[in-house]
Amino acid sequence: MQKHLLLGVEAIAQGAIDAGISGVYAYPGTPSTEITEYIQESKIANKRDIHRRWAANEKTAMESALGMSYAGKRSLVCMKHVGLNVAADCFMNSAVTGSNGGIVVTVADDPSMHSSQNEQDSRVYGKFAQIPVLEPSNQQEAYECAKYAFELSETLGTPVLMRITTRLAHSRAGVEVGEAKLENELHLPSNPKQFILLPAIARKQYRLLLNKQEKFEEASENTGFNKYFEGKDKSLGIIACGIGYNYLMENFSSEECPYSVVKVSQYPLPRKMINKLAEECDKLLVLEEGYPVIEEFIKGYLEKENIIGRLDGTLSRDGELNPDMVRAALGFSCHTDAPTPELVAPRPPALCEGCSHRDVYTALNEVINTYGKGRVFSDIGCYTLGALPPYESIYTTVDMGASITMAKGATDAGLFPSVSVIGDSTFTHSGMTGLLDAVNEKTPITVIISDNESISMTGGQESSAKGRIESICEGLGVEKDHIRVLMPVPKNHDELCAVIKEEVEYKGVSVIIPRRVCIQKAARDAKKARVARAKAGK
Amino acid sequence: MKTDIILAGVGGQGILSIAAALGKAALDNNLNMKQAETHGMSQRGGDVQSFMRISDEEIFSDLIPKKGADLILSVEPMECLRYLPYLKEGGYVVTNKTPFINIPNYPEIEELEASIKALPNYVLIDADKIAKEEVGNGRAFNFVMLGAASPFIDIPFEYLEDGIRALFLKKGEDIVNMNIKALHAGRKFAEDNK
């Protein structure tokens, strides 16, 4: 059969399309972005007109997807791990409502924080919500899991969480693709009260969820994604979760693995398999990418002392797994590798040459340094790189939208001035409500919405903010005279400095909008236009 | 057969187009392949790498273990050295000569080249120059690099040509031929200088 060369995230997207989804809802975030982009580019998705536009944030995405499930159709939600914090309110409650049409929440974790502010493990959220979790180990399985997840969601009447990590998300392999299913017909839930979480109904729904737990575990025992491999050597038994299985097998690529192994790609944990392993083997090694979720869990119920993994230090407590770490955990001698020569300098990421954020930080530094350091609160996006030399302009980066509210809190505490730097898309994602708080209290903060008209860090997706930032600010109650728009280019440096200075001194809420399109996006758009012209010429 | 390759460079230099051609070459010839790459923040001028694994047997890990790479293919000279802990004994380093200097503490060029020349197996190639002068288009330097690495990749050279052809099919015969010419120019340099 013809194999398609797909990233892990793309395999999930193709699996969801072939499962007959009627919509994908997502906000971009590395390493999850390309799931939605793949669906946006897909011929079949375009032909079926599957919903595929970006949402304003992960919460709105999750809610829309649940609405689609309510209406009986299949929906996919995608986000990075920290996005699930934003969507958590709806996510947790969706476990209680359960599903009508299949709903799959795909969350891409980023252990080692390649492009993130923490390395939280979404499997904990799965346990928290008490719903099934799938964790494919390779690209082919990612495709199969996506299709299966929708079946599972409809059979068991529950949302399903699909958890992947950076390495699978952004690694390509050949994937065999199967038949594409048709979309569901519109049909409302058979119980019209299923989605009304008034306490009296919620209590019933919650009991229903608790009663399903046994079925969830049964599904984990019988799924093809969890496997028990019998080994000859019983001194060690290995539980290998998700891509941890690959790193294990990598160490035995030339021979057979002598130990018994339970490969886990579906949760709740298949207890029977785990019990069998525990009974047969002297010691258990747990290989998991992320938190020691399983290790902690089985330590709680097995009453077995010989369990090793991330908790006892056999494997590093943080960071992603790799074949070398697993090698050491198996007790094999480590390779003595050649060191990297000393002259190799670190090459941290940086704002692009010609980027508008550079002009903003140059001006901001000039003004704010007259007041002293530590007064600029920032947010999540390319402009976070303003924390690094040569700018070193910002002092906080915590979560989407926190620049405005943290500046507010610091002002409430008496810090003056407090300036917030946030991007256009981050502003509409989670900044607007914080700005409303500041307006309601007339808190003297200066909010710089550095508007490059795109979601740049993740590859230039369309920003929900485009063309409406001034009207949003005005609508929230920012005074018109204190919404200042200007073009951040070197020749406007003095003007930008003067505006920042004026607004910092204003004793109320002011918003400065330096606006210039992302240079990467401008280059891509110019290239697209060239190609279009060339085609038209033919 | 089995070849593990580390592709190295700086975000924006386009190592992924090399990976794409290699991937296509492997897949169209029924070989297994896995290729892990870097997206997101580090793409903004930071160091980037892609782990490329090709084999006629099942490949498990997306990451190449330390001392596991047969080849480091770098489009930037300092970046080739960053991944030396991954190079197998007897493995090759094939690197472009043109530095990409976007940091204040970039090493002295003489020192850098001396480090590369101290390696047991290396090809140091000015791919930018060859692309401009012999191929006639500076942008083809990535495929000059792939050509220079091709003697050390355990798949037939024609597969790579086919990979490039498949990759650029939609862009027309001229683009296909230019990139294949680049591939040949790189290979010739490596054969003469390895």
Side-chain angles (χ1 to χ4, degrees):
Chain A
M1 190 186 265
Q2 169 71 29
K3 280 191 180 178
H4 300 260
L5 189 54
L6 299 177
L7 290 171
V9 276
E10 294 171 339
I12 290 170
Q14 185 64 51
I17 292 169
D18 291 349
I21 54 164
S22 300
V24 59
Y25 294 89
Y27 183 81
T30 311
S32 73
T33 312
E34 302 83 355
I35 303 174
T36 306
E37 288 184 325
Y38 183 90
I39 296 172
Q40 288 170 342
E41 297 294 320
S42 148
K43 270 191 195 141
I44 171 161
N46 280 281
K47 203 172 127 208
R48 289 183 176 181
D49 201 18
I50 292 174
H51 176 276
R52 57 200 179 280
R53 274 193 64 168
W54 293 108
N57 68 33
E58 293 85 356
K59 179 174 181 282
T60 66
M62 179 73 213
E63 291 158 348
S64 303
L66 191 63
M68 184 168 270
S69 165
Y70 169 85
K73 300 207 174 187
R74 290 184 166 188
S75 61
L76 174 70
V77 202
C78 315
M79 61 196 74
K80 67 183 295 172
H81 56 338
V82 287
L84 187 51
N85 301 332
V86 178
D89 198 357
C90 180
F91 172 77
M92 292 301 297
N93 294 324
S94 73
V96 182
T97 65
S99 67
N100 183 29
I103 175 167
V104 176
V105 185
T106 300
V107 184
D109 294 354
D110 188 19
S112 282
M113 298 176 243
H114 299 278
S115 202
S116 305
Q117 65 270 43
N118 76 23
E119 57 174 44
Q120 67 186 56
D121 186 327
S122 297
R123 292 178 304 164
V124 178
Y125 262 115
K127 175 90 185 108
F128 192 18
Q130 305 176 85
I131 61 171
V133 178
L134 294 169
E135 189 187 16
S137 67
N138 61 40
Q139 292 79 353
Q140 183 67 45
E141 214 170 63
Y143 173 79
E144 313 285 351
C145 271
K147 280 180 105 170
Y148 166 73
F150 285 97
E151 297 294 334
L152 192 66
S153 171
E154 285 179 3
T155 318
L156 299 176
T158 175
V160 172
L161 177 67
M162 172 115 111
R163 185 248 188 177
I164 53 168
T165 59
T166 303
R167 288 303 160 185
L168 177 58
H170 287 161
S171 175
R172 240 175 269 274
V175 174
E176 278 181 23
V177 170
E179 292 290 302
K181 265 189 61 126
L182 291 176
E183 292 177 53
N184 285 357
E185 293 294 331
L186 194 74
H187 65 279
L188 295 180
S190 54
N191 168 11
K193 292 183 178 165
Q194 183 191 337
F195 285 81
I196 309 174
L197 295 185
L198 270 169
I201 306 169
R203 281 192 283 269
K204 278 186 199 150
Q205 284 295 120
Y206 183 57
R207 247 174 272 130
L208 208 58
L209 171 65
L210 296 178
N211 291 340
K212 283 181 199 162
Q213 297 302 311
E214 216 171 296
K215 290 215 168 65
F216 294 171
E217 199 172 307
E218 206 177 283
S220 287
E221 297 286 354
N222 300 325
T223 178
F225 298 115
N226 292 337
K227 288 193 187 94
Y228 191 99
F229 299 97
E230 190 82 40
K232 290 187 192 90
D233 185 342
K234 304 294 184 191
S235 64
L236 184 70
I238 302 169
I239 300 169
C241 305
I243 63 172
Y245 177 73
N246 302 344
Y247 300 139
L248 171 66
M249 297 314 284
E250 179 69 23
N251 280 290
F252 295 103
S253 46
S254 51
E255 71 228 272
E256 211 168 288
C257 176
Y259 308 117
S260 292
V261 178
V262 178
K263 171 193 172 294
V264 179
S265 285
Q266 183 171 338
Y267 308 84
L269 213 53
R271 237 181 248 244
K272 284 181 197 152
M273 288 187 200
I274 303 295
N275 286 344
K276 179 167 152 47
L277 191 76
E279 278 158 24
E280 284 181 0
C281 304
D282 303 337
K283 188 156 87 170
L284 294 184
L285 167 66
V286 188
L287 301 173
E288 46 194 329
E289 173 99 319
Y291 290 4
V293 180
I294 300 312
E295 194 181 344
E296 273 182 346
F297 178 66
I298 62 172
K299 273 193 165 146
Y301 91 80
L302 275 182
E303 293 176 6
K304 192 177 174 81
E305 279 179 13
N306 260 339
I307 296 172
I308 58 172
R310 285 186 182 254
L311 277 179
D312 77 324
T314 300
L315 291 157
S316 160
R317 182 66 177 74
D318 62 344
E320 59 180 339
L321 287 178
N322 63 46
D324 299 300
M325 281 167 68
V326 173
R327 184 180 172 80
L330 289 166
F332 295 162
S333 67
C334 285
H335 299 297
T336 44
D337 46 67
T340 301
E342 266 175 35
L343 63 83
V344 176
R347 201 190 295 261
L351 291 168
C352 306
E353 288 294 334
C355 168
S356 62
H357 299 314
R358 286 181 173 244
D359 298 292
V360 172
Y361 282 130
T362 305
L364 183 60
N365 279 355
E366 192 175 311
V367 176
I368 213 76
N369 287 346
T370 61
Y371 295 93
K373 293 196 177 297
R375 287 165 165 75
V376 181
F377 300 82
S378 193
D379 232 295
I380 314 283
C382 284
Y383 47 90
T384 313
L385 296 171
L388 306 176
Y391 299 103
E392 299 180 275
S393 306
I394 65 166
Y395 294 86
T396 71
T397 298
V398 180
D399 66 73
M400 297 285 279
S403 61
I404 297 177
T405 25
M406 284 185 73
K408 180 183 182 300
T411 302
D412 294 343
L415 186 72
F416 173 83
S418 295
V419 177
S420 151
V421 178
I422 186 169
D424 46 317
S425 180
T426 306
F427 175 65
T428 43
H429 178 288
S430 291
M432 300 186 293
T433 42
L435 186 59
L436 182 61
D437 280 349
V439 167
N440 284 342
E441 296 183 33
K442 207 168 191 289
T443 315
I445 58 168
T446 306
V447 178
I448 298 178
I449 304 176
S450 195
D451 180 7
N452 60 8
E453 304 184 305
S454 99
I455 311 177
S456 297
M457 186 62 96
T458 50
Q461 293 78 17
E462 177 94 6
S463 162
S464 302
K466 200 172 171 188
R468 42 176 77 96
I469 296 181
E470 292 94 309
S471 55
I472 290 170
C473 292
E474 236 184 285
L476 290 172
V478 181
E479 295 157 276
K480 212 170 181 179
D481 292 348
H482 295 283
I483 301 172
R484 313 281 298 267
V485 184
L486 66 174
M487 166 92 102
V489 284
K491 77 172 166 55
N492 293 346
H493 173 76
D494 292 346
E495 193 192 346
L496 186 54
C497 287
V499 167
I500 296 172
K501 176 90 187 156
E502 268 172 51
E503 296 304 335
V504 160
E505 287 295 333
Y506 173 64
K507 298 285 181 266
V509 179
S510 39
V511 174
I512 303 170
I513 308 167
R515 174 173 298 139
R516 179 154 66 80
V517 69
C518 163
I519 58 153
Q520 299 286 353
K521 187 175 175 67
R524 277 193 300 270
D525 288 349
K527 193 176 171 186
K528 268 188 216 154
R530 267 202 312 277
V531 172
R533 272 200 306 276
K535 268 191 186 158
K538 276 176 192 168
Chain B
M1 60 75 48
K2 178 168 172 289
T3 301
D4 286 343
I5 307 165
I6 290 178
L7 297 166
V10 180
Q13 278 193 304
I15 58 168
L16 294 184
S17 61
I18 302 179
L22 265 169
K24 196 87 186 118
L27 208 65
D28 288 350
N29 292 285
N30 287 320
L31 293 167
N32 294 310
M33 62 85 59
K34 276 196 173 183
Q35 180 238 325
E37 57 196 47
T38 323
H39 291 209
M41 184 173 258
S42 47
Q43 279 181 302
R44 301 271 164 267
D47 55 274
V48 291
Q49 82 300 111
S50 172
F51 294 84
M52 179 93 199
R53 317 190 74 184
I54 302 173
S55 176
D56 52 10
E57 284 175 30
E58 185 172 5
I59 303 166
F60 287 101
S61 170
D62 298 275
L63 298 176
I64 296 170
K66 296 256 174 79
K67 275 207 150 176
D70 301 282
L71 170 69
I72 294 173
L73 198 182
S74 179
V75 295
E76 205 278 346
M78 182 178 80
E79 292 307 322
C80 78
L81 299 175
R82 197 182 298 281
Y83 304 98
L84 285 184
Y86 288 92
L87 192 65
K88 235 180 217 167
E89 245 155 85
Y92 252 88
V93 172
V94 177
T95 183
N96 191 12
K97 211 172 171 168
T98 316
F100 188 100
I101 303 175
N102 63 347
I103 46 170
N105 52 340
Y106 195 90
E108 293 296 325
I109 305 295
E110 294 75 30
E111 257 184 83
L112 183 60
E113 290 197 359
S115 290
I116 295 167
K117 287 175 182 165
L119 297 170
N121 304 308
Y122 72 93
V123 174
L124 183 61
I125 173 173
D126 193 339
D128 294 70
K129 185 164 174 244
I130 291 176
K132 268 181 225 136
E133 291 177 4
E134 294 180 29
V135 185
N137 189 331
R139 279 190 295 182
F141 86 97
N142 275 321
F143 292 107
V144 173
M145 287 308 305
L146 179 57
S150 65
F152 318 107
I153 302 174
D154 192 12
I155 59 177
F157 187 65
E158 306 80 67
Y159 288 11
L160 298 179
E161 292 181 312
D162 294 342
I164 288 180
R165 207 166 276 129
L167 195 62
F168 292 103
L169 195 63
K170 280 189 193 154
K171 297 200 170 173
E173 198 61 22
D174 290 351
I175 305 278
V176 169
N177 290 338
M178 175 186 81
N179 285 312
I180 288 182
K181 194 173 169 190
L183 189 75
H184 282 267
R187 185 173 177 96
K188 182 171 183 306
F189 181 92
E191 295 288 8
D192 296 344
N193 294 280
K194 69 179 176 188

